[in-house]
Amino acid sequence: MTIEHRVVSGVAALAVGAGLLVGGVAAANAETLTFRVQVPRHLSVSKGEYSKSCAMDVWVWGTEGPTVAYSKVSVIAPNGHNPPPYNRVLPGEQVGYGVGCATVPDHAGKYRIRVVAYNKSGKALGSREDYWYEKLDTVVQSYNAAPEPVRKGKTLYVSGRLRRVNNIGTGYTAYSGKTMRIYFLPKGSKTWTYMGSTTTNSSGNFRKGFKAKASGTWRAYFPGTSRFDKQPSRDDYVQVR
């Protein structure tokens, strides 16, 4: 994971839609401070075929307010690593970080960027913190709902295998001990129904049985974690006779 400093002088240096955050300090007669921070949102890294070719920009503008002299900007990685901060960002000045996307699980998770505004005496006037997530890819393989067709009242099994990007970022490995949620869409309906859950074993495999009541489509779903992306299986239609 690499985090590089990016500096652009002037308020209008980057013509993009930046998120405008307005907030003030807690004191009763505190001035209003204007914070501008632009971060990626819940970034999913390497969806589908795994690739290390990924980069993004995080931008911050110096806090503006009647008595603001400068701001301090810092970014904090999931592992607590804090690259050198910008210690003196003038009001309206644009600075940022070029962040290389996660390539291994230790680099994935919640990233935070913090801005603190100061007056000319060095007193902190207020702060703002924003964040984004970088998550690595997961896949649901060998998914199947069977037998098909199945007799009404008999047991239907939903099975598959969950895998994730491995610890050295070179491919995929079994994702064990994770909850897979199972959903059913009855034929002719537009509403998915939650049917239950099961847990992946040491090989990433999962299997759960249900009593066959009606024809319809079955889906397994992994809700994701702070470091690995959510992932649905393919849909599998089963006819009940």
Side-chain angles (χ1 to χ4, degrees):
M1 170 63 65
T2 58
I3 302 178
E4 302 175 350
H5 287 69
R6 304 268 174 97
V7 182
V8 181
S9 297
V11 178
L14 187 66
V16 298
L20 183 63
L21 302 177
V22 180
V25 290
N29 297 318
E31 65 180 273
T32 298
L33 305 177
T34 301
F35 296 87
R36 299 178 66 202
V37 180
Q38 179 181 296
V39 299
R41 288 295 181 185
H42 307 291
L43 184 69
S44 179
V45 182
S46 307
K47 290 290 295 178
E49 184 177 354
Y50 184 69
S51 170
K52 294 182 180 179
S53 178
C54 185
M56 60 193 169
D57 289 323
V58 180
W59 295 106
V60 179
W61 286 258
T63 310
E64 295 181 89
T67 64
V68 175
Y70 65 93
S71 297
K72 180 177 179 179
V73 179
S74 57
V75 63
I76 304 169
N79 61 5
H81 175 63
N82 187 354
Y86 294 98
N87 286 315
R88 194 174 183 85
V89 182
L90 299 179
E93 180 183 16
Q94 180 188 336
V95 297
Y97 296 89
V99 182
C101 293
T103 56
V104 296
D106 284 348
H107 293 165
K110 183 178 181 178
Y111 286 76
R112 295 179 291 139
I113 189 158
R114 182 172 175 79
V115 186
V116 183
Y118 296 87
N119 64 16
K120 64 181 180 180
S121 299
K123 178 183 177 181
L125 301 172
S127 65
R128 175 72 68 187
E129 188 172 284
D130 207 349
Y131 67 94
W132 73 97
Y133 279 96
E134 291 187 40
K135 296 188 178 186
L136 291 171
D137 192 31
T138 58
V139 293
V140 179
Q141 299 177 328
S142 305
Y143 177 71
N144 191 34
E148 42 188 321
V150 62
R151 289 188 178 276
K152 189 173 184 177
K154 295 294 184 179
T155 302
L156 177 149
Y157 291 96
V158 174
S159 62
R161 186 184 187 194
L162 180 67
R163 304 184 77 200
R164 64 166 177 84
V165 172
N166 65 27
N167 291 338
I168 57 175
T170 57
Y172 290 81
T173 189
Y175 205 2
S176 63
K178 297 303 172 185
T179 298
M180 298 296 298
R181 300 175 182 172
I182 311 300
Y183 293 86
F184 177 64
L185 180 67
K187 181 180 179 180
S189 174
K190 296 182 179 179
T191 303
W192 287 90
T193 300
Y194 173 70
M195 301 299 291
S197 64
T198 185
T199 303
T200 58
N201 64 17
S202 59
S203 299
N205 295 317
F206 62 91
R207 186 172 186 259
K208 188 173 180 64
F210 300 90
K211 182 176 288 188
K213 296 181 179 180
S215 298
T217 303
W218 293 84
R219 176 188 294 174
Y221 175 74
F222 172 59
T225 69
S226 62
R227 295 191 299 169
F228 290 96
D229 200 18
K230 60 187 178 182
Q231 196 68 251
S233 70
R234 68 180 182 86
D235 294 343
D236 195 4
Y237 180 85
V238 177
Q239 182 181 22
V240 175
R241 294 178 177 175

